Amino acid sequence: MTEEINNCIKILKEGGLILYPTDTVWGIGCDATNPEAVKKVYQLKKREDSKALICLVAHQAMLERHVREVPEVAYDIMDLATKPTTIVFDEPKGIAENLVAEDNTLAIRVASDKFCQYLINKFKKPIVSTSANISGEPTPKQFKDIAPEILKGVDYVVNLPDVNKNAIPSSIIKLSNDGQVKVIRE
């Protein structure tokens, strides 16, 4: 696993794209602070950049560095969630502008699997995590379901076995600084 993490970090530092297993589905990733890298993800997915992407952090301390204010309830949600849960936060900071939604929010998930935690911890920055498919196409549940176009469009494919055989996308909850909570995807 160390070799895979080092290979990913090299690509991420160069502004490249990786295809990697996340705590949910296989994802396309890049340095979440690099606008050029983020642009490549939108191009590969054939997705409008007005449709925001999810960002992964290694731990709560990294989350706190990239959101102006983390509502208290966010910690409860993270602690009590029974499956990977992405939270949409107001006022992200230190992130590529083209990753931030028009309403100045960003969807962030604290990674729960060891590979992502180690990778992001060693990289020391958040990484983009978006499903490994062309926008509008079905989300691939396993590596074998990933389209050749996606495999050719990334700079590095992580060589780890499918760990999530029944992978499903994360839940998404929007937490506004004014206390509003909205479930976007269960």
Side-chain angles (χ1 to χ4, degrees), residues 42-175:
Y42 284 118
Q43 289 169 341
L44 178 58
K45 284 185 67 82
K46 299 181 179 162
R47 184 172 178 165
E48 298 168 38
D49 64 9
S50 60
K51 293 186 103 183
L53 302 172
I54 291 172
C55 185
L56 289 182
V57 294
H59 41 71
Q60 291 178 353
M62 187 180 280
L63 167 68
E64 291 161 0
R65 284 198 296 272
H66 292 283
V67 176
R68 192 179 68 77
E69 179 187 336
V70 178
E72 277 306 309
V73 69
Y75 297 104
D76 295 334
I77 291 169
M78 288 183 270
D79 291 343
L80 299 172
T82 55
K83 71 176 206 174
T85 302
T86 301
I87 301 175
V88 179
F89 292 96
D90 288 339
E91 302 180 67
K93 60 184 186 178
I95 295 292
E97 286 292 317
N98 53 346
L99 198 53
V100 178
E102 289 174 1
D103 63 353
N104 197 25
T105 60
L106 179 63
I108 303 176
R109 183 168 72 251
V110 176
S112 58
D113 74 301
K114 293 285 177 244
F115 176 77
C116 288
Q117 286 175 340
Y118 292 153
L119 171 62
I120 299 163
N121 238 341
K122 194 162 181 187
F123 186 53
K124 296 184 175 48
K125 293 190 234 176
I127 61 173
V128 166
S129 176
T130 183
S131 56
N133 61 318
I134 302 296
S135 202
E137 299 287 318
T139 299
K141 300 260 189 262
Q142 294 175 24
F143 183 80
K144 67 177 178 54
D145 302 327
I146 299 170
E149 188 176 353
I150 296 290
L151 294 169
K152 286 187 197 112
V154 297
D155 300 295
Y156 186 72
V157 177
V158 171
N159 184 16
L160 287 176
D162 273 332
V163 278
N164 274 339
K165 290 295 181 210
N166 299 313
I168 53 167
S170 67
S171 299
I172 301 179
I173 298 171
K174 183 172 185 177
L175 293 183

Side-chain angles (χ1 to χ4, degrees), residues 2 9-10 12 21 29-30 33 58 91 100 106-107 112 121 152 167 177:
T2 305
I9 288 172
K10 180 180 182 298
L12 292 171
C30 72
T33 67
E91 302 180 67
V100 178
L106 179 63
S112 58
N121 238 341
K152 286 187 197 112
N177 286 348

